[in-house]
Amino acid sequence: MDGKGRTPRWRHTEHERFARAVEGGPQPVGGDDFAEDLAIVELLRRMDVGPDAEARERMKQRILTAPPPEKPLVLSSVRRVGARARLAVAAAAVLCLLMSLAGMSVLLSRDALPGDPLYGIKRTTEGASLGLTFDDESRALKHLEFAASRVTEMETLADRASGPSAQLTALADLDADAVEGARQLTTYATAADESALPALRDWALAQYVKLGTLRPRLPEDAGAHADTTMWLLASIAQRAHDLAARSDCSALTSGSSDTLGPLPSKDECASAVTDPNSSSGRNPSSVPPTPSGQPGQPGSATPSTQPTQSAVPGASTPPTSQPGTSTPPTSGKPGITIPLPLPLPSISLPLLPGISFG
């Protein structure tokens, strides 16, 4: 090569001449220059320098039985990371799909009725809303709101002539929410705000009237359950009325409770006065109690003829009772009349003295 990295031309010419000499082609004039080189090439051709048959067979078996080469560590890590990334993307897509389906199901279940496939989702959503409500009064009102919704759903089921199973489901859920709502609201009212008791009474009476109006349209099995539910609503109304009647007494509750909440005290009503030096608003006064039932005297617990404006969802103001329709008090307990626009089946209420129907 010259200084510029190129092979001289005369060297190319010699290479071509030597190649022709090895191939046995015609030699140009002066071709004896490669005589010694050609002799060496001839000797190499005659020599058997390759492996014999046995060696070739051994090499073949070694190649065939050799373990596969290990994959590079970097490539394996890259593939592992890629698989994890694909799995994460797939999981995120599935989660988004499930959330979308859940949201659509919640929206579609708002108008679901007992017996519909989406009714279970509706009840689950209601339970979740209760779990997110932390105020005692608000949680109780939500229970009563759900119970009132069951009565409305029963009216729709009756219009569609649905079977008894759907009505029984609605009645069972109505009972559960009514009992829980009444228990929580009476507990809250007797401890913090007694003004919620008239609202609970009005709500129970309103649902009683609605269910009594719907009662003749219910199937036989659902009608029998409806009688029990109406008795339950009347019990709630009586409990709220009895507790509200003792709102001016020093002893409001007896200290014991049942499924509907605190039980009203059976002691004689002693007027309670507010002591400015005490944190409690219930202190018996020095004035001796007077028998209840004497109008205009302290300690009398006469229910108001005009119900308080209800703050309970689904409650409505019942019709004003006409003179002469109220039942006389039993054992000194003020009575309460439940007006009904339509005749209802006879219901025996041995545990509710002072309540009349019709």
Side-chain angles (χ1 to χ4, degrees), residues 43-275:
L43 291 174
L44 292 175
R45 285 177 176 175
R46 294 177 182 178
M47 292 177 60
D48 189 6
V49 295
D52 55 6
E54 184 177 355
R56 286 195 295 270
E57 186 64 24
R58 280 199 312 271
M59 290 187 291
K60 178 180 178 182
Q61 293 299 327
R62 183 178 298 176
I63 294 173
L64 294 176
T65 58
E70 295 183 359
K71 298 179 180 179
L73 181 61
V74 176
L75 181 59
S76 177
S77 301
V78 171
R79 290 182 178 177
R80 207 161 33 240
V81 171
R84 291 176 182 174
R86 289 193 296 270
L87 181 61
V89 172
V94 172
L95 181 61
C96 292
L97 178 61
L98 292 177
M99 292 180 64
S100 300
L101 293 177
M104 293 177 60
S105 300
V106 170
L107 292 176
L108 294 176
S109 66
R110 289 182 177 179
D111 298 329
L113 298 175
D116 292 346
L118 295 178
Y119 181 72
I121 298 178
K122 181 178 182 178
R123 291 291 291 166
T124 302
T125 305
E126 292 176 351
S129 66
L130 286 171
L132 297 176
T133 305
F134 303 101
D135 181 66
D136 294 338
E137 183 183 16
S138 299
R139 190 182 301 110
L141 294 178
K142 274 188 175 294
H143 277 292
L144 299 182
E145 178 185 355
F146 297 152
S149 298
R150 302 293 88 83
V151 178
T152 303
E153 292 167 357
M154 291 179 62
E155 294 173 347
T156 304
L157 290 173
D159 294 338
R160 297 181 180 182
S162 300
S165 60
Q167 296 283 10
L168 290 173
T169 300
L171 285 169
D173 293 340
L174 168 60
D175 294 344
D177 281 319
V179 169
E180 188 63 22
R183 183 187 65 81
Q184 293 183 10
L185 194 57
T186 52
T187 302
Y188 166 79
T190 54
D193 185 8
E194 298 168 4
S195 63
L197 293 172
L200 176 61
R201 178 198 61 196
D202 295 343
W203 176 88
L205 294 179
Q207 305 314 311
Y208 185 96
V209 171
K210 288 182 180 180
L211 194 57
T213 305
L214 182 64
R215 171 65 176 84
R217 303 169 57 190
L218 298 179
E220 182 177 358
D221 295 341
H225 195 153
D227 294 339
T228 305
T229 303
M230 292 169 65
W231 184 89
L232 172 63
L233 293 171
S235 301
I236 295 174
Q238 182 68 65
R239 176 65 54 84
H241 176 75
D242 292 344
L243 290 172
R246 296 188 62 87
S247 59
D248 295 331
C249 303
S250 60
L252 177 61
T253 63
S254 63
S256 58
S257 302
D258 60 4
T259 55
L260 297 182
L263 292 170
S265 176
K266 297 181 180 180
D267 299 337
E268 290 292 336
C269 181
S271 299
V273 295
T274 302
D275 185 1

Side-chain angles (χ1 to χ4, degrees), residues 289-302 329 332:
T290 59
S292 60
Q294 296 181 4
Q297 297 295 328
S300 63
T302 304

